[in-house]
Amino acid sequence: MTPETFAEIVADAALSPTVHNVQPTLWRRIDAGTVAVLQAGGRTLPVGDPTGRDVAASHGSAVEGFLVAASARGLGFAVGDGEAGEIARLRSSGPVAPDLLAAVLRTRRTWRGAFASTAPEGALEALAAAAPDLTLLSGAEDIAFIAGRNDAASLKGFRDPAFRAELLAWMRLSRRNPLWSVDGLNAEAMWMSGIEALGAGVVLRPGVFELLDRIGMAGALTGEAAVVRSAAAVALFHRPVDEAPFDTGRRWHRVWLEMTRLGLSAAPMTVLADDPEAQAALAARFGRPAGARLVTVFRLGAPTGDLPAPARRSIDDLIV
């Protein structure tokens, strides 16, 4: 693997989904067959992810993206433990055939807008067959239940001023923000108009949110139930309770790529897994596989517009 090929693979791996699009992964080419995976400074979420589980899953997602991108170039790598200060080490394992999911690695996007009324024919059935760790729900009542629980859990999170401040720090609400196309959650990716983005910046401010909450308006302004209800289906993503977050992240990315391969777009509603009350309500209604935990819930379907351009860090910023 030449330095040029390494840079190409990293560019593709950088398109992997990460929590809040913080992109915490750095890469170092040790030699032609060895890559070190590292943690970027300042790219954690101490409030929203105090245990670091979501950031660890994000590293796993990025590494899976690297493996898929490398396979498209006939290169195989094995994932092993990292040395001191490293997340992991990837070592050459010889030539491989391209991964089936390599074809959609560059086209996967988060879709936070409304969905079309129907999904591509046969896509949900094919996804259920390909991903047994997903519980697919397509009934209107079930989707509405998920939508309500998502809004309630989100509102609870927004009531924490520290959480709101951390979220705002990763939101890019104006194109004038120099980080608009670099990282975080920009207004286009969140499917916000300019007016909505301006309003979000006001609503989430200290004091303003509390006032709106007291008069019962905060939930209406932060909720997204209508968008969730437009989904063709929601998918509960469960993984073994004792699985390492890094490995969960690898699988999370592959499931999302499988959705993309089948013509589906998706957005995760991870607050449903993070909030104990929401998690218990979903388990009571839909069940939970033995020995598994809920990782996230996807809303999915066919998008009603163009997918947003990815906001990503430069290659020079990712390779150290």
Side-chain angles (χ1 to χ4, degrees), residues 30-45:
I30 304 299
D31 55 43
T34 311
V35 175
V37 182
L38 306 164
Q39 167 70 47
R43 294 185 174 271
T44 59
L45 300 167

Side-chain angles (χ1 to χ4, degrees), residues 169-202:
W170 286 99
M171 292 173 74
R172 318 303 182 209
L173 297 175
S174 169
R175 289 184 179 274
R176 292 191 296 273
N177 189 318
L179 299 176
W180 172 275
S181 60
V182 175
D183 60 12
L185 305 167
N186 67 41
E188 182 180 51
M190 292 185 287
W191 203 246
M192 288 182 179
S193 67
I195 293 176
E196 289 170 330
L198 180 64
V202 173

Side-chain angles (χ1 to χ4, degrees), residues 8 16-17 66 135 145 158 176 191 201 215 232 245 251 270 302 308:
E8 292 174 0
S16 304
F66 186 99
T135 300
F145 178 83
F158 282 128
R176 292 191 296 273
W191 203 246
I215 62 178
R251 178 59 185 160
T270 305

Side-chain angles (χ1 to χ4, degrees), residues 230-256:
S230 75
V234 293
L236 281 60
F237 178 47
H238 293 97
R239 293 298 297 167
V241 69
D242 58 351
E243 183 174 66
F246 179 90
D247 295 329
T248 299
R250 293 184 61 184
R251 178 59 185 160
W252 173 57
H253 191 181
R254 291 194 67 83
V255 164
W256 205 335

Side-chain angles (χ1 to χ4, degrees), residues 68-94:
V68 172
S71 79
R73 296 160 174 87
L75 303 173
F77 285 87
V79 182
D81 293 337
E83 297 188 2
E86 298 174 354
I87 303 299
R89 277 215 172 187
L90 313 181
R91 294 177 173 83
S92 175
S93 59

Side-chain angles (χ1 to χ4, degrees), residues 21-267:
N21 195 26
V22 302
Q23 302 170 58
T25 308
L26 297 177
W27 310 87
R28 177 177 293 150
R29 179 181 179 273
I30 304 299
D31 55 43
T34 311
V35 175
V37 182
L38 306 164
Q39 167 70 47
R43 294 185 174 271
T44 59
L45 300 167
V47 179
D49 179 34
T51 66
R53 185 179 67 186
D54 292 343
V55 167
S58 297
H59 286 307
S61 170
V63 165
E64 191 63 28
F66 186 99
L67 301 181
V68 172
S71 79
R73 296 160 174 87
L75 303 173
F77 285 87
V79 182
D81 293 337
E83 297 188 2
E86 298 174 354
I87 303 299
R89 277 215 172 187
L90 313 181
R91 294 177 173 83
S92 175
S93 59
V96 296
D99 192 303
L100 179 65
L101 299 175
V104 295
L105 184 62
R106 297 177 181 175
T107 57
R108 184 215 59 84
R109 300 282 187 278
T110 302
W111 174 256
R112 292 187 174 86
F115 293 95
S117 57
T118 59
E121 185 176 357
L124 297 178
E125 293 80 2
L127 180 62
D133 40 9
L134 291 180
T135 300
L136 285 174
L137 307 166
S138 56
E141 290 186 4
D142 288 340
I143 295 175
F145 178 83
I146 294 286
R149 288 293 176 177
N150 182 61
D151 277 5
S154 295
L155 180 59
K156 187 188 301 184
F158 282 128
R159 285 174 172 155
D160 180 350
F163 173 81
R164 287 203 317 277
E166 184 176 75
L167 177 62
L168 271 172
W170 286 99
M171 292 173 74
R172 318 303 182 209
L173 297 175
S174 169
R175 289 184 179 274
R176 292 191 296 273
N177 189 318
L179 299 176
W180 172 275
S181 60
V182 175
D183 60 12
L185 305 167
N186 67 41
E188 182 180 51
M190 292 185 287
W191 203 246
M192 288 182 179
S193 67
I195 293 176
E196 289 170 330
L198 180 64
V202 173
V203 167
L204 296 179
R205 287 178 187 170
V208 176
F209 180 87
E210 285 77 9
L211 173 61
L212 293 170
D213 199 20
R214 282 197 297 272
I215 62 178
M217 290 182 61
L221 293 170
T222 60
E224 51 184 2
V227 171
V228 178
R229 288 196 301 267
S230 75
V234 293
L236 281 60
F237 178 47
H238 293 97
R239 293 298 297 167
V241 69
D242 58 351
E243 183 174 66
F246 179 90
D247 295 329
T248 299
R250 293 184 61 184
R251 178 59 185 160
W252 173 57
H253 191 181
R254 291 194 67 83
V255 164
W256 205 335
L257 289 175
E258 187 64 34
M259 294 174 184
T260 305
R261 188 181 73 84
L262 294 169
L264 297 163
S265 291

